[in-house]
Amino acid sequence: MKKVTIHIMPKQGVLDPQGKAIQTSLNALGFSEVEAVQTGKLVELFVEEHADIDRRVGEMCDKLLVNPVMEDYHVDVEEAVRP
Amino acid sequence: MKKVTIHIMPKQGVLDPQGKAIQTSLNALGFSEVEAVQTGKLVELFVEEHADIDRRVGEMCDKLLVNPVMEDYHVDVEEAVRP
């Protein structure tokens, strides 16, 4: 079994109001060293062993998980046991 | 400037309906090798150099970013330029 972790972030220049809200809140709490915040999504897939896992995961991102107009992503694959 | 990446995932046993919905959709699209899905959040902070960055980020997570009842997190720190 493989664990596939997909990191999805808004593309450069896309507005991220949640990130802006977090930055404002952290600054208000006294964390003035925080100068920018971006938020994104994590998707962990637990996948049966498959010869062509990278291509299959690319298809999953294109068809369902990622909006290519707004978002960039990268993928890590590691060995795992089922959660 | 440091880039601090916080990976926030639901704790083991906490219901994750979004993950379940993604799994069902992927299976319906023909990706039958996907056996479990978990979703989480990514928060990237761009932070001024600070002597005690690990402790400060821990405080940010405790005070604002993470719900310790429902969520686990881990933190990566790396050098970065401001986005």
Side-chain angles (χ1 to χ4, degrees), chain A residues 30-45:
Chain A
F31 299 107
S32 56
E33 69 268 38
V34 178
E35 297 197 352
V37 179
Q38 290 184 317
T39 59
K41 290 180 282 186
L42 268 179
V43 181
E44 290 182 354
L45 310 175

Side-chain angles (χ1 to χ4, degrees), chain A residues 1 9 22 25 30 33-40 42-48 56 60 64-65 82, chain B residues 1 9 22 25 30 33-40 42-48 56 60 64-65 82:
Chain A
M1 170 133 301
M9 294 297 291
I22 290 173
S25 299
E33 69 268 38
V34 178
E35 297 197 352
V37 179
Q38 290 184 317
T39 59
L42 268 179
V43 181
E44 290 182 354
L45 310 175
F46 294 84
V47 179
E48 267 175 59
R56 294 281 284 180
M60 292 178 208
L64 184 73
L65 300 173
R82 203 193 150 114
Chain B
M1 171 132 299
M9 294 297 291
I22 289 173
S25 299
E33 69 267 37
V34 178
E35 297 197 353
V37 178
Q38 290 183 320
T39 59
L42 269 179
V43 181
E44 289 182 353
L45 310 175
F46 293 84
V47 180
E48 267 174 60
R56 295 280 285 181
M60 293 179 207
L64 184 72
L65 300 173
R82 203 193 152 114

Side-chain angles (χ1 to χ4, degrees), chain B residues 18-68:
Chain B
Q18 189 186 11
K20 190 71 197 158
I22 289 173
Q23 187 197 343
T24 306
S25 299
L26 286 173
N27 293 159
L29 286 169
F31 299 108
S32 56
E33 69 267 37
V34 178
E35 297 197 353
V37 178
Q38 290 183 320
T39 59
K41 290 180 283 186
L42 269 179
V43 181
E44 289 182 353
L45 310 175
F46 293 84
V47 180
E48 267 174 60
E49 298 289 337
H50 199 286
D52 212 5
I53 197 164
D54 291 333
R55 186 183 57 75
R56 295 280 285 181
V57 170
E59 281 181 25
M60 293 179 207
C61 290
D62 294 342
K63 287 190 179 169
L64 184 72
L65 300 173
V66 178
N67 174 351

Side-chain angles (χ1 to χ4, degrees), chain B residues 68-83:
Chain B
V69 177
M70 314 269 285
E71 296 170 328
D72 286 324
Y73 70 97
H74 77 266
V75 174
D76 295 325
V77 181
E78 62 192 295
E79 281 298 328
V81 292
R82 203 193 152 114

